[in-house]
Amino acid sequence: MGCSASLPARNSGQLGALNSEGSAVSDSKNLRVKLVLLGDSGVGKSCIVLRFVRGQFDPTSKVTVGASFLSQTIALQDSTTVKFEIWDTAGQERYAALAPLYYRGAAVAVVVYDITSPESFSKAQYWVKELQKHGSPDIVLALVGNKADLHENRSVSSQDAIDYAEKNGMFFIETSAKTADNINQLFEEIAKRLPRPTSAS
Amino acid sequence: MASDPTSLPSPSDLSIPNPSPTEEERLATLNLEEPTGNHAPIPRPLSNGSSLSADFDTGNEIEVAEEELLGDSTDLAEGSSSHGGGGWREISEQDGEVASCSPSSSGYAGERGSSGASSGIEEVDDGVALQDDWVPGKRHLDEDDASVSWRKRKKHFFILSHSGKPIYSRYGDEHKLAGFSATLQAIISFVENGGDRVKFVRAGKHQVVFLVKGPIYLVCISCTEEPYEALKGQLELIYGQMLLILTKSVNRCFEKNPKFDMSPLLGGTDVVFSSLIRAFSWNPATFLHAYTCLPLAYSTRQAAGAILQDVADSGVLFAILMCKHKVVSLVGAQKASLHPDDMLLLANFILSSESFRTSESFSPICLPKYNPMAFLYAYVHYLDEDTHLTLLTTSSDAFYHLKECRLRIEAVLVKSNVLAEVQRSMLDGGLHVEDLPVDSSRRSRSISPQMTQENNISGSRPPHMALGGPAGLWHFIYRSIYLDQYVSSEFSSPINNSAQQKRLYRAYQKLFASMHDQGTGPHKTQYRRDRDYVLLCWITQDFELYAAFDPLADKVSAIKTCNRVCQWVRDLENEIFLLGASPFSW
Ligand SMILES: Nc1nc2c(ncn2[C@@H]2O[C@H](COP(=O)(O)OP(=O)(O)OP(=O)(O)O)[C@@H](O)[C@H]2O)c(=O)[nH]1
Ligand SMILES: [Mg+2]
């Protein structure tokens, strides 16, 4: 991280956390969940979110600045709804120090890499470690290998990713924001794994 | 915590002259004479009512103004065009400043990508050889516009560290530039050996301008014939843009490690810098150090200002509503004030970063003139295609509060029709020189929508018949010194393509530099005729006027027209400027 880690944090002193009112839960039927996406710049975090929220894919690169906020509600089979409040963070190095602002209090962290880029897979592992150290103890972690449509250029094997995810108690999936492959599944699987409020209905 | 904003020196501690008692008196008297029109009774910092006369003499502006007070309604001592000393500083230029640099002579990397082209920067006087392989292997990735690609090589910008590490280069990938490091090294030792004095080197057609900011060096190499002061100002803005992204605390990285590689910290910001560099040739804010407003009915702007003020009172440091690069309204908390350069850099950052358009964002940014050391947090949201709202705060966890503020603001703006008016103003455009009122009876013509419909001459005129305004007036810029704002007329024939616009701005820039040249003292007026234009500049305590006329324009009527432009702008000030309740007011 070099010096970047000291940049925004040092200036702003203690970083707060971006939480509206608690991180999850409204009632047992309607969950509200803070979700953060982390990962190297260019792996496709914003594309995944825009595919999920708006059903669109725009191939022109729009490097995220700071973080973008979007929300999307999905209905599950058991007639519960889950409202995801999504922080799509910037992967650029200078924002790394800012990440705690977005992942603190998050119920879900989605760590994304690009299956054609081993560096982005290492970066994903860096984020997993950071989340294990500083994230909420009961955070749901998902590891996502994006750009699955580029399989002919694959340089991170699925098996390596599966092994790593298993070792770290993460949910793993390969997606393509471009083809929409597994995008909804990703969020549905996350929703299923959320801790439910204990009050029986 | 971010440092206390109120303890900072106010960035707009600019040298705004305090009007002397006599001056105020004069203003008061003149106001009585102003056309009553439909203006709300609000403070009118613009109106000084002085006029420009052809035999205008430095220092006698009060006398001139008094002439007007005594009933001279023509504003001009007509026909008395004096060529004697003390009158207009008249400059005739035979050779145009443009086209002095053809593509084939612009050394770096020949037009067809051959990096072996000779010449370019050959040799600097003191023997430090600057090679021509400055920019081998161009990527052409960040071309502004393919059709004018050759022109780009006329101007290079570099940021590098004092240890010679490239940080940014306008053209080419700074990491892959073979031979680049060596050249940078040459520059650095050159700058270091020269101490503070080395700021500028001329090598044939090329100027090399240096700006040293602690461990960071900025370099411009240009054959555009822009004045040194203008190029230096551009380097200052580039440095400011870098600070906006990183803050000055990046210097600490160099203290720890002089060989620190800073370029990764600017990853993905190429577009921000290239957009700023493009602005140097189309956006007068880059040299006027002033911002411009979208023309709006006074009440519309007031409605926007009121709701922004409301959120500013709830702990938002600055609330800025803009349409593209024009201000709709802006408000600062208590004593906080926003420097026009910071606004320029912030707007450039927002407009050039596409991701802001996709959804609401929350990002650290630094306003270098406000506080170069600290980040503020910016909530940015586009309310429609062109209109964007920025809320700035010192608190890193204010997102949800700001989001709520935005919802309130948006609701009010929709309800009071501000957004629709903004869109309409965008379509109508600003001031058209063709609409310059011919006589005083039309002086108080309004550009508010109702009036525009009746009076919009330009709308019904066949496009090819328009050849500028009266007396061959092609274009003008009026900058209010008190307000830190400017208004410029829309481009119209014959300044109707971007190359001509760029050329005109370069000419203005040159005029600006010569008017503000410290060596020669601030000139009050300047009249300059060359192959391309007659240029007129008039500077008073209150405003600066830059006007371009047909090169064949008659001097006396040009001067008369300038007076009318000033009157016109004053008549419309309620609509073209953001008045009162601004963070700039005292
Ligand atoms: N082929 C392919 N390209 C993708 C896919 N997802 C994203 N991309 C491309 O990858 C580039 C970067 O995508 P972004 O979503 O902007 O990346 P990001 O992770 O948000 O990057 P930062 O905002 O800088 O952190 C874009 O140009 C997309 O076109 C995908 O599933 N398949
Ligand atoms: Mg992104």
Side-chain angles (χ1 to χ4, degrees):
Chain A
M1 292 289 104
C3 256
S4 69
S6 70
L7 280 176
R10 183 178 291 177
N11 285 297
S12 56
Q14 283 298 95
L15 281 175
L18 293 165
N19 295 317
S20 39
E21 299 119 46
S23 55
V25 189
S26 317
D27 59 63
S28 55
K29 281 283 174 194
N30 300 291
L31 301 180
R32 211 178 65 192
V33 178
K34 176 176 167 180
L35 179 150
V36 63
L37 283 107
L38 295 162
D40 217 351
S41 181
V43 298
K45 299 180 295 298
S46 300
C47 288
I48 290 172
V49 175
L50 290 173
R51 172 62 84 183
F52 172 56
V53 173
R54 305 209 181 126
Q56 300 165 345
F57 177 76
D58 178 354
T60 62
S61 204
K62 291 171 179 166
V63 182
T64 303
V65 177
S68 299
F69 181 84
L70 296 98
S71 61
Q72 173 72 309
T73 304
I74 59 170
L76 298 181
Q77 309 249 301
D78 61 359
S79 81
T80 55
T81 66
V82 179
K83 180 179 186 189
F84 288 105
E85 298 190 334
I86 303 168
W87 280 104
D88 169 24
T89 65
Q92 287 292 345
E93 192 176 322
R94 66 181 165 281
Y95 297 111
L98 209 63
L101 181 61
Y102 304 107
Y103 69 64
R104 215 167 278 160
V108 184
V110 175
V111 179
V112 185
Y113 67 92
D114 169 352
I115 64 155
T116 70
S117 157
E119 300 81 47
S120 74
F121 188 54
S122 318
K123 193 58 172 281
Q125 299 176 24
Y126 161 87
W127 283 119
V128 171
K129 283 194 203 93
E130 167 137 359
L131 288 162
Q132 287 166 343
K133 248 191 271 169
H134 302 294
S136 321
D138 54 352
I139 193 167
V140 174
L141 290 177
L143 180 67
V144 173
N146 189 41
K147 307 198 185 181
D149 56 292
L150 301 177
H151 46 82
E152 67 277 14
N153 296 326
R154 174 189 290 278
S155 45
V156 180
S157 80
S158 304
Q159 198 52 54
D160 287 355
I162 291 168
D163 293 347
Y164 181 80
E166 234 160 56
K167 234 181 15 217
N168 290 277
M170 301 173 79
F171 160 65
F172 170 72
I173 194 168
E174 287 191 355
T175 60
S176 167
K178 187 174 178 181
T179 64
D181 232 27
N182 275 346
I183 298 291
N184 288 339
Q185 288 83 336
L186 163 66
F187 289 91
E188 281 158 17
E189 286 300 323
I190 288 168
K192 286 185 202 154
R193 277 153 226 264
L194 289 171
R196 297 301 164 109
T198 41
S199 63
S201 50
Chain B
M1 281 320 288
S3 41
D4 177 11
T6 53
S7 68
L8 288 165
S10 162
S12 61
D13 274 344
L14 302 166
S15 52
I16 294 176
N18 261 329
S20 63
T22 51
E23 177 82 351
E24 273 167 3
E25 217 172 288
R26 186 166 61 87
L27 296 183
T29 329
L30 278 169
N31 276 340
L32 297 176
E33 275 215 339
E34 296 264 318
T36 41
N38 53 358
H39 300 140
I42 47 160
R44 317 195 60 187
L46 299 176
S47 323
N48 83 335
S50 58
S51 69
L52 185 56
S53 87
D55 55 357
F56 188 86
D57 197 14
T58 319
N60 74 350
E61 79 191 289
I62 292 185
E63 281 167 39
V64 176
E66 280 169 0
E67 263 172 49
E68 190 190 18
L69 271 183
L70 293 172
D72 177 6
S73 61
T74 61
D75 291 355
L76 180 79
E78 227 171 307
S80 58
S81 150
S82 154
H83 293 261
W88 284 94
R89 221 166 62 105
E90 189 158 347
I91 297 162
S92 276
E93 278 192 355
Q94 286 321 308
D95 75 328
E97 62 188 281
V98 199
S100 60
C101 187
S102 70
S104 55
S105 70
S106 80
Y108 338 108
E111 179 54 4
R112 281 148 217 96
S114 87
S115 56
S118 59
S119 82
I121 295 172
E122 290 134 3
E123 197 144 7
V124 191
D125 286 352
D126 77 355
V128 179
L130 298 177
Q131 302 118 23
D132 65 342
D133 56 352
W134 265 104
V135 193
K138 300 248 180 284
R139 289 179 306 167
H140 303 291
L141 286 183
D142 51 355
E143 304 247 283
D144 303 342
D145 177 351
S147 63
V148 290
S149 60
W150 64 270
R151 191 177 292 143
K152 297 196 179 119
R153 314 270 160 70
K154 289 170 77 177
K155 208 163 162 190
H156 288 263
F157 288 98
F158 304 102
I159 310 177
L160 49 125
S161 76
H162 63 346
S163 73
K165 284 240 169 27
I167 295 169
Y168 169 81
S169 165
R170 183 184 188 191
Y171 299 122
D173 182 338
E174 54 273 14
H175 293 108
K176 293 180 193 149
L177 298 174
F180 186 64
S181 290
T183 316
L184 296 185
Q185 212 56 63
I187 290 188
I188 287 155
S189 56
F190 180 69
V191 172
E192 274 171 357
N193 295 337
D196 282 345
R197 283 163 296 121
V198 185
K199 291 171 180 154
F200 172 78
V201 172
R202 183 170 269 284
K205 279 173 180 147
H206 294 91
Q207 301 178 74
V208 187
V209 178
F210 303 96
L211 183 64
V212 178
K213 294 285 187 182
I216 291 163
Y217 291 12
L218 297 101
V219 186
C220 173
I221 302 172
S222 136
C223 61
T224 57
E225 295 296 322
E226 288 165 89
Y228 163 75
E229 285 299 336
L231 296 174
K232 178 168 174 272
Q234 293 169 11
L235 289 177
E236 291 276 1
L237 285 173
I238 290 177
Y239 182 64
Q241 191 73 76
M242 197 200 87
L243 294 184
L244 183 133
I245 297 164
L246 293 175
T247 79
K248 210 171 176 174
S249 64
V250 74
N251 286 0
R252 293 193 201 120
C253 300
F254 291 100
E255 282 161 23
K256 283 185 225 149
N257 171 17
K259 294 212 180 301
F260 176 67
D261 182 5
M262 205 182 114
S263 57
L265 292 185
L266 289 175
T269 60
D270 265 16
V271 285
V272 178
F273 289 98
S274 57
S275 153
L276 177 66
I277 290 167
R278 241 176 292 131
F280 295 153
S281 52
W282 71 262
N283 188 347
T286 57
F287 63 91
L288 291 175
H289 308 289
Y291 67 97
T292 195
C293 287
L294 185 77
L296 282 175
Y298 181 73
S299 59
T300 306
R301 203 186 309 281
Q302 283 289 97
I307 180 64
L308 294 187
Q309 186 64 57
D310 209 41
V311 307
D313 295 340
S314 77
V316 174
L317 186 60
F318 295 111
I320 309 163
L321 182 64
M322 296 180 82
C323 185
K324 293 195 170 150
H325 68 286
K326 296 187 177 183
V327 169
V328 173
S329 188
L330 74 99
V331 158
Q334 290 129 13
K335 294 218 169 63
S337 62
L338 199 47
H339 191 284
D341 286 354
D342 281 350
M343 290 180 60
L344 168 77
L345 296 172
L346 179 63
N348 180 62
F349 184 70
I350 291 169
L351 290 168
S352 61
S353 305
E354 280 287 312
S355 83
F356 286 123
R357 295 175 179 276
T358 52
S359 56
E360 52 195 332
S361 303
F362 190 61
S363 169
I365 60 107
C366 160
L367 296 178
K369 299 269 185 184
Y370 182 73
N371 180 357
M373 295 308 293
F375 274 113
L376 297 172
Y377 293 85
Y379 172 93
V380 181
H381 185 66
Y382 274 78
L383 304 177
D384 61 37
E385 190 68 21
D386 305 309
T387 314
H388 48 101
L389 175 71
T390 305
L391 303 174
L392 293 168
T393 161
T394 52
S395 145
S396 64
D397 50 11
F399 174 80
Y400 289 97
H401 173 61
L402 300 182
K403 182 180 168 66
E404 213 144 87
C405 289
R406 185 267 295 177
L407 288 167
R408 269 170 55 211
I409 292 169
E410 195 167 18
V412 170
L413 294 180
V414 168
K415 204 171 140 206
S416 53
N417 222 26
V418 173
L419 291 179
E421 289 296 326
V422 164
Q423 280 306 313
R424 193 218 293 256
S425 173
M426 279 284 291
L427 292 174
D428 286 353
L431 304 182
H432 296 265
V433 289
E434 296 86 359
D435 297 344
L436 180 65
V438 179
D439 55 56
S440 51
S441 64
R442 295 190 60 216
R443 289 212 311 201
S444 52
R445 182 187 158 261
S446 163
I447 55 158
S448 61
Q450 319 84 281
M451 300 294 283
T452 312
Q453 312 234 300
E454 295 163 27
N455 271 350
N456 197 341
I457 315 165
S458 58
S460 52
R461 191 188 302 105
H464 294 295
M465 285 181 60
L467 274 174
L473 174 65
W474 283 352
H475 188 263
F476 68 85
I477 299 178
Y478 178 106
R479 171 179 185 254
S480 161
I481 291 163
Y482 285 108
L483 295 175
D484 276 338
Q485 294 172 48
Y486 74 90
V487 63
S488 77
S489 64
E490 297 287 315
F491 287 110
S492 59
S493 177
I495 315 268
N496 50 14
N497 66 41
S498 64
Q500 281 165 335
Q501 291 165 13
K502 184 167 172 173
R503 183 163 64 174
L504 177 58
Y505 278 142
R506 291 252 164 98
Y508 280 150
Q509 220 167 17
K510 206 167 172 179
L511 196 58
F512 182 92
S514 82
M515 291 295 280
H516 293 263
D517 182 357
Q518 269 146 16
T520 356
H523 305 295
K524 293 289 182 198
T525 55
Q526 197 174 132
Y527 177 91
R528 180 189 278 263
R529 187 190 294 274
D530 67 21
R531 216 171 45 187
D532 302 313
Y533 322 99
V534 163
L535 291 175
L536 264 153
C537 179
W538 179 23
I539 298 187
T540 74
Q541 273 194 348
D542 302 321
F543 66 84
E544 300 181 358
L545 178 73
Y546 302 84
F549 291 83
D550 187 303
L552 301 175
D554 170 60
K555 181 175 171 183
V556 172
S557 34
I559 290 170
K560 192 175 176 182
T561 303
C562 284
N563 279 314
R564 274 163 49 196
V565 167
C566 291
Q567 185 58 49
W568 192 36
V569 167
R570 278 179 221 127
D571 289 347
L572 295 177
E573 67 183 22
N574 282 341
E575 292 160 33
I576 54 184
F577 293 124
L578 172 64
L579 301 173
S582 87
F584 310 97
S585 55
W586 297 80

